[in-house]
């Protein structure tokens, strides 16, 4: 059954089975965001939650919401219509082919990605859920490569991932000249084991990583309003 979630400032997010969103997407969209007027890119956008969260926070610059699944992309398109958020352009496409050539290379100022987390392990019998959670159609290398192609020099990229992938993520970012600059761990409560991290990188910049305060869920790190 399809549903509607209402963000803090009234933005409607449309969801469906296999095309919803979780705490990680909210944390990603709040950890770093495009500045006023910046050209933004939401990779693996699903129902468009991150792009719509930026809209809810006041971003009105051009924003591309790229998603492989046509049903999820259609939900994003309908949410864009309902919210009169015409600055967001839903794009149903494969990020592995995105920005390989043409004027979009180096065009974006800011990009984000909430990628599939699992390369192995149990799979959902629902092919849509399985594709969203496993790396068959989007590996870490695919995600950071798409961001690197899309971003201008100095452009920023934010990514969330499981802590056991921290080393792989930092190495993958550096391999495509995306220098990690900010990192925060996500915990359910103070002192608990982190279950996620969020990292912001910048294209073509000098080394220098700042470890930020933990994002604590019980303290409201991912809270949003309902109406």
């Amino acid at each position: 059954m399809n549903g509607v979630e209402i963000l803090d400032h009234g933005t409607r997010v449309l969801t469906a089975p296999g095309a919803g969103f979780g705490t990680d997407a909210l944390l990603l969209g709040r950890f770093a965001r495009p500045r006023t007027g910046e050209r933004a890119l939401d990779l693996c956008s699903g129902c468009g939650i991150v792009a719509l969260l930026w809209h809810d926070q006041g971003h009105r610059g051009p924003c591309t919401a790229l998603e492989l699944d046509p049903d999820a992309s259609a939900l994003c398109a309908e949410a864009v219509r309902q919210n009169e958020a015409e600055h967001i352009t839903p794009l149903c496409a494969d990020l592995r082919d995105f920005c390989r050539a043409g004027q979009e290379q180096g065009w974006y100022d800011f990009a984000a990605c909430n990628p599939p987390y699992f390369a192995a392990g149990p799979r959902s019998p629902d092919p849509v859920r399985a594709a969203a959670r496993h790396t068959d159609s989007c590996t870490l290398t695919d995600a950071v490569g798409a961001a690197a192609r899309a971003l201008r020099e100095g452009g920023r990229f934010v990514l969330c991932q499981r802590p056991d992938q921290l080393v792989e993520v930092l190495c993958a970012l550096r391999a495509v000249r995306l220098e990690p600059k900010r990192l925060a761990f996500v915990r359910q409560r103070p002192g608990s084991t982190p279950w996620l991290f969020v990292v912001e990188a910048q294209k073509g910049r000098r080394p220098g990583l700042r470890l930020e305060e933990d994002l604590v869920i019980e303290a409201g790190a991912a809270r949003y309003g309902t109406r």
Side-chain angles (χ1 to χ4, degrees):
M1 181 180 295
N2 292 1
V4 179
E5 299 287 342
I6 309 297
L7 300 180
D8 293 329
H9 299 103
T11 299
R12 296 167 61 86
V13 183
L14 308 185
T15 64
F21 65 90
T23 300
D24 49 357
L26 297 172
L27 292 164
L28 178 72
R30 289 181 172 144
F31 182 70
R33 65 191 72 172
R35 302 184 181 100
T36 302
E38 283 192 332
R39 297 181 290 268
L41 174 63
D42 176 15
L43 296 167
C44 300
S45 67
C47 65
I49 173 58
V50 172
L52 292 165
L53 181 59
W54 293 337
H55 170 81
D56 194 66
Q57 295 166 338
H59 180 250
R60 295 297 183 270
C63 180
T64 301
L66 189 147
E67 169 57 38
L68 180 63
D69 178 61
D71 293 332
S73 189
L75 285 174
C76 179
E78 177 59 21
V80 165
R81 186 192 68 79
Q82 291 187 18
N83 290 293
E84 298 182 350
E86 290 80 9
H87 63 99
I88 299 174
T89 302
L91 176 61
C92 186
D94 191 327
L95 61 73
R96 292 172 293 188
D97 301 323
F98 187 64
C99 285
R100 290 288 179 184
Q103 63 181 8
E104 287 185 323
Q105 281 193 319
W107 188 76
Y108 293 92
D109 302 295
F110 186 88
C113 186
N114 181 10
Y117 293 154
F118 303 105
R123 296 177 65 90
S124 170
D126 182 337
V128 175
R129 292 181 185 274
R133 292 174 59 83
H134 288 263
T135 59
D136 305 56
S137 60
C138 176
T139 65
L140 174 61
T141 299
D142 295 332
V144 300
R149 294 191 301 271
L151 288 169
R152 62 169 174 80
E153 287 295 307
R156 297 177 296 141
F157 176 53
V158 61
L159 174 82
C160 59
Q161 185 54 275
R162 290 155 46 93
D164 60 0
Q165 297 297 306
L166 178 59
V167 173
E168 287 81 358
V169 168
L170 298 182
C171 290
L173 290 169
R174 276 193 158 178
V176 291
R177 300 182 58 248
L178 294 173
E179 185 63 34
K181 303 300 288 185
R182 300 170 57 223
L183 173 70
F185 291 100
V186 180
R187 304 176 192 270
Q188 183 64 32
R189 62 188 65 86
S192 63
T193 301
W195 61 272
L196 191 79
F197 70 87
V198 191
V199 62
E200 181 183 349
Q202 199 167 12
K203 185 174 178 178
R205 291 301 185 254
R206 295 178 180 176
L209 176 63
R210 183 171 75 245
L211 185 62
E212 305 213 337
E213 291 186 7
D214 291 343
L215 303 175
V216 180
I217 301 302
E218 288 187 356
R223 185 178 301 151
Y224 70 98
T226 58
R227 299 181 186 181

